[in-house]
Amino acid sequence: QVQLVESGGGLVQAGGSLRLSCAASGRTFSSYSMGWFRQAPGKEREFVAAISMIGLSTYYADSVKGRFTISRDNAKNTVYLQMNSLKPEDTAVYYCAARPKNYGDYYNTVSYDYWGQGTQVTVSS
């Protein structure tokens, strides 16, 4: 079992920045590749970014590429999502997720076994 707790969400003006954190507890953090997803009201949960077990590979949705950066600190059992140049369309609940493998569809929600409770990000225009 892995427990995930997100933090760092909030209200920010367009063009601003936020840094989300996801703290993991339970089994060995470095045995999991991690992902960030988001869900806006009335929309399906969508992939944002993913990172491999030891952080050598990162992946991004086209909508956030160049603005968001995913990273991890395995010594602290934490994955981060640095979000810059935020836009109103980035408004959503952001979730981190964990899966015990480095292969497969990193962008697909069904690939992930564990989820956090989410943190709200609101970007005002």
Side-chain angles (χ1 to χ4, degrees), residues 34-81:
M34 301 296 295
W36 284 97
F37 291 77
R38 65 187 182 187
Q39 188 166 18
K43 294 187 177 181
E44 293 187 353
R45 194 168 298 189
E46 64 174 5
F47 169 72
V48 175
I51 189 166
S52 59
M53 290 178 180
I54 58 174
L56 291 182
S57 299
T58 57
Y59 310 92
Y60 297 93
D62 288 343
S63 59
V64 306
K65 203 171 292 183
R67 300 188 297 123
F68 290 11
T69 302
I70 188 171
S71 62
R72 67 189 296 161
D73 186 338
N74 286 349
K76 296 183 178 180
N77 286 7
T78 303
V79 62
Y80 305 97
L81 185 69

Side-chain angles (χ1 to χ4, degrees), residues 12 23-24 27-31 45 48 58 69 78 84 86-87 91-92 95 108 111 114-115 117 119-120 124:
V12 64
R27 300 181 66 183
T28 306
F29 182 63
S30 59
S31 298
R45 194 168 298 189
V48 175
T58 57
T69 302
T78 303
N84 299 328
L86 282 161
K87 304 175 181 179
T91 295
Y95 299 89
N108 196 331
S111 295
Y114 304 101
W115 292 84
Q117 83 290 348
T119 185
Q120 176 71 47
S124 63

Side-chain angles (χ1 to χ4, degrees), residues 1 5 7 18-19 21 24 30 38 40 55-56 62 72 75 81 86-87 93-94 109 113 121:
Q1 280 281 10
V5 179
S7 61
L18 282 175
R19 188 195 196 200
S21 299
S30 59
R38 65 187 182 187
L56 291 182
D62 288 343
R72 67 189 296 161
L81 185 69
L86 282 161
K87 304 175 181 179
V93 177
Y94 283 70
T109 58
D113 296 334
V121 171

